[in-house]
Amino acid sequence: MSGVDAAFLYFETPSMHMHVCGVLVLDPSTAKEGFGFERVRELLASRLVLIPEFRRKLSATSLRLHHPVWVDLIDVPVAEHVTHVVLPAPGGVEELERAVADFAEVQLDRSRPLWQVLVVEGLEDGRVAVVVKVHHCLVDGVAAGDVLAQLVDLGPEGRTAGEIYEASRLVAERRRRPGLPEMLGHTVKGVVTRPVGIARLVPSAAKAVTGLVRTRRSGESAGGTMPFQGPRAPWNGSVTGRRVVALVDVPMGDVKAVKKALGGTFNDVMMTVVGGAFHRYLDGSLDASLIAVLPVNVRREGQRGGNQASAMFSTLATDLADPVERLEAIKAATAAGKADQRALGGDIVEQAGALVEPILVSFAARAYGALRLADVHPVIHNLVLSNVPGPPIPLYLAGARIDALVPLGPVLDGAGLNVTIVSYADTVGVGFIACADRIPDLRALAAQVRPSLDELLAVAARP
């Protein structure tokens, strides 16, 4: 396991859960063989051969002096990983959100492969939801998309056993459970090479900082955003393990219309929409803009699985009432952030992650939460905001058409709120998840997404 992947294990505490979720809302009418809890279990059992992440189990190193290793299991008891609930009437969005929040509150059992699936029945119009929960040490946003790709199909007919077999030949071979001598060797190697890694990190860090300073002085990153610049929002501070969820989606065509008329990237437009939702929700209660931290994919071509991401900071321009001014400020901030990322390079994160010390980091994370330090020091950033590119065409799960796809990220101590955006077919899903003790009215915030987009559409439609 890489140091970056392992860090998500070390940072996890009883109140800060480091798993990610994906909510799929399905139309079962397209499934000729019927659709339900048992059908989902059968699908997962047949597709495990394609998903090495779902067959892996943690094996801790001696005295936790180095990162854990993954061991592939021969048999994974799928029944233990798939559960189901039936929503109370009327089975609307709010009932679904409560069920998803309850599911997200429960941490994954580290004695088993780190994933779980919840099948939610009883939705209005006969629909069914499937919620997939995977630990962040296994996947980032891009890798989660790779996992989803192995579960879904391009049509309701699915894949034949022969097609699954051929696809499985491309999956890496199983890794056997290492013996005690190998585990001891792995630990010793990690401990011995750590000083060498630190020595190598110093010049890399110096080069990265020099590049960043040069970029800043050249003006290439003018308009950039730095941490500790945001105000303290109501949801910022120490978090508990309770969660609240809000799910919304907007038409892809509307987002493209704004992008075409006003410029910027898809991400710029959606950040402006989210920023507008916060502006409307806060109603002028904060005199400075919210600051978001944005995960950035640094995956090299051909890399699969795990976490290959860095991060940058950006304003959401929530202090600006004019939506066009907000868009221009965000365009400048994201362009500056990208320039900073190019100057820093992606290798610095990977190098630093390899040097993470398990016991020390785990202790620090738990002490930080227990002492409620996030309530004391200035706010580093106000929220995490991710944008994950999704499939541009409709997909099917066990024959049922996926009508909506909404992701949810981890809720971090200090920020207390995570917003994740994903494009899928002709819609854009936006998932809000937060500490329920920090912002219990999360749905009121999510309800401002559509009006915020309408503001931009009105400007885009002007001659």
Side-chain angles (χ1 to χ4, degrees):
M1 179 184 295
S2 74
V4 176
D5 293 345
F8 288 103
L9 289 172
Y10 308 150
F11 287 142
E12 188 167 53
T13 70
S15 59
M16 189 167 68
H17 312 150
M18 300 307 295
H19 51 247
V20 297
C21 297
V23 183
L24 288 68
V25 180
L26 311 167
D27 176 7
S29 67
T30 60
K32 296 179 181 180
E33 299 180 6
F35 188 88
F37 170 61
E38 291 296 337
R39 185 73 185 90
V40 173
R41 287 208 306 191
E42 292 171 2
L43 173 76
L44 282 160
S46 68
R47 300 291 174 90
L48 280 183
V49 67
L50 303 179
I51 311 173
E53 293 87 350
F54 280 17
R55 303 194 309 267
R56 293 173 182 167
K57 180 180 175 181
L58 286 173
S59 182
T61 58
S62 304
L63 302 177
R64 297 183 64 203
L65 295 177
H66 194 36
H67 308 318
V69 298
W70 291 116
V71 176
D72 280 359
L73 300 181
I74 297 175
D75 294 308
V76 177
V78 173
E80 297 178 2
H81 290 265
V82 186
T83 58
H84 81 291
V85 297
V86 179
L87 293 182
V93 174
E94 292 188 29
E95 287 77 24
L96 173 61
E97 289 169 344
R98 280 195 290 270
V100 174
D102 290 343
F103 184 58
E105 287 180 2
V106 181
Q107 290 180 288
L108 290 160
D109 183 352
R110 294 195 182 184
S111 68
R112 300 175 176 175
L114 296 176
W115 63 276
Q116 196 172 8
V117 170
L118 174 70
V119 180
V120 184
E121 299 174 312
L123 275 71
E124 57 188 356
D125 301 327
R127 294 181 300 166
V128 178
V130 173
V131 190
V132 183
K133 178 166 61 179
V134 186
H135 203 284
H136 213 321
C137 71
L138 280 166
V139 297
D140 57 12
V142 175
D146 293 338
V147 169
L148 180 64
Q150 302 304 329
L151 291 174
V152 300
D153 301 300
L154 299 178
E157 64 280 355
R159 306 183 208 180
T160 66
E163 289 172 330
I164 294 175
Y165 172 76
E166 287 299 320
S168 70
R169 296 172 64 183
L170 302 176
V171 178
E173 63 184 50
R174 295 181 185 275
R175 284 166 289 190
R176 64 180 179 84
R177 181 181 296 275
L180 180 59
E182 290 171 290
M183 292 294 285
L184 285 172
H186 173 72
T187 300
V188 170
K189 180 181 178 181
V191 173
V192 170
T193 59
R194 188 169 286 131
V196 177
I198 294 174
R200 291 176 177 173
L201 178 63
V202 171
S204 296
K207 180 181 179 181
V209 171
T210 301
L212 180 61
V213 171
R214 187 183 301 113
T215 299
R216 290 276 176 170
R217 287 179 175 175
S218 70
E220 188 179 354
S221 59
T225 305
M226 297 295 289
F228 298 103
Q229 290 184 340
R232 183 171 290 276
W235 55 85
N236 294 147
S238 300
V239 300
T240 68
R242 298 180 61 239
R243 297 291 177 261
V244 60
V245 166
L247 311 171
V248 297
D249 58 69
V250 294
M252 174 68 79
D254 289 351
V255 179
K256 288 183 176 180
V258 172
K259 178 178 177 293
K260 181 178 180 181
L262 303 181
T265 64
F266 169 86
N267 190 46
D268 292 335
V269 173
M270 283 307 302
M271 286 178 62
T272 304
V273 170
V274 171
F278 277 107
H279 174 80
R280 299 170 69 91
Y281 172 77
L282 293 167
D283 194 25
S285 61
L286 299 178
D287 57 2
S289 173
L290 297 178
I291 301 300
V293 62
L294 315 177
V296 179
N297 177 35
V298 294
R299 182 173 268 98
R300 301 182 187 90
E301 189 170 351
Q303 283 184 312
R304 186 186 186 281
N307 292 270
Q308 302 290 335
S310 182
M312 69 182 193
F313 293 86
S314 175
T315 179
L316 290 182
T318 54
D319 56 334
L320 301 177
D322 185 277
V324 177
E325 292 181 9
R326 186 180 308 120
L327 174 60
E328 292 303 316
I330 288 173
K331 284 163 61 176
T334 55
K338 291 173 184 176
D340 288 345
Q341 284 295 309
R342 288 192 297 270
L344 288 171
D347 291 341
I348 191 71
V349 175
E350 186 175 343
Q351 283 184 268
L355 304 176
V356 170
E357 205 286 318
I359 297 177
L360 179 61
V361 175
S362 294
F363 173 78
R366 289 177 177 271
Y368 182 83
L371 296 173
R372 302 182 66 85
L373 296 180
D375 296 333
V376 179
H377 63 70
V379 174
I380 302 173
H381 56 89
N382 300 108
L383 66 146
V384 178
L385 177 60
S386 303
N387 177 26
V388 182
I393 56 176
L395 298 174
Y396 296 79
L397 182 82
R401 188 182 69 241
I402 301 175
D403 285 344
L405 172 61
V406 186
L408 299 168
V411 177
L412 305 183
D413 235 339
L417 172 62
N418 187 300
V419 183
T420 307
I421 301 165
V422 67
S423 55
Y424 166 63
D426 57 357
T427 63
V428 181
V430 186
F432 294 78
I433 183 169
C435 171
D437 294 304
R438 283 287 176 183
I439 179 170
D441 61 337
L442 188 62
R443 169 140 284 280
L445 167 59
Q448 299 302 324
V449 169
R450 180 71 250 187
S452 176
L453 177 57
D454 288 341
E455 280 186 327
L456 286 165
L457 277 172
V459 175
R462 293 174 187 169

